[in-house]
Amino acid sequence: MKGTYLGEFEELVLLTVGALYPEAYGVAVMDEIKNETGRSVNISAVHSAMRRLDEKGFVRSEMGGATNERGGRRKRYFELTAFGKKALDDAQSLRMKLYNRIPDISLGTS
């Protein structure tokens, strides 16, 4: 298992994998990221991130059945592991801890 650092894009992919369960595969993750964030991402970037997340133990995957619409090719479905959920929980906790330390001041320009 590789290091457990979770980059911003990896975190976004990991969140999306969890949200799409049990239908999280490359194209679905890419489309959901675009729909939710307006951010256009490359399918290769999604696949690379999911491979890294798998190596880190944050997700696991299995092959689905072959379909005619994919020319007989099978989809690789991903799901969040308990370790991946903990990584997301830790990231959210850290963000909230830092966010809550921002002073309650007016950030106006006047």
Side-chain angles (χ1 to χ4, degrees):
M1 181 181 329
K2 284 189 157 189
T4 59
Y5 174 77
L6 190 59
E8 185 267 339
F9 185 67
E10 288 177 331
E11 184 178 351
L12 184 58
V13 169
L14 191 57
L15 284 164
T16 305
V17 166
L20 289 177
Y21 177 82
E23 296 294 324
Y25 62 95
V27 172
V29 170
M30 179 185 71
D31 290 345
E32 187 71 6
I33 289 171
K34 182 174 172 93
N35 290 340
E36 289 297 320
T37 68
R39 181 175 171 176
S40 181
V41 296
N42 183 303
I43 190 63
S44 298
V46 171
H47 284 151
S48 293
M50 290 195 298
R51 186 173 38 256
R52 287 191 307 271
L53 293 167
D54 192 21
E55 290 171 357
K56 292 176 182 183
F58 293 154
V59 297
R60 66 177 148 256
S61 67
E62 64 181 45
M63 297 301 290
T67 61
N68 288 335
E69 70 217 23
R70 293 177 46 86
R73 294 176 309 162
R74 301 177 346 163
K75 294 177 185 174
R76 178 172 296 278
Y77 289 95
F78 288 81
E79 68 180 51
L80 200 57
T81 63
F83 190 49
K85 177 66 166 72
K86 183 181 181 323
L88 289 173
D89 290 344
D90 290 349
Q92 181 181 24
S93 176
L94 174 61
R95 279 190 181 77
M96 289 309 298
K97 180 179 172 184
L98 290 171
Y99 180 84
N100 289 331
R101 289 179 48 200
I102 296 172
D104 190 19
I105 59 173
S106 171
L107 297 176
T109 57
S110 53

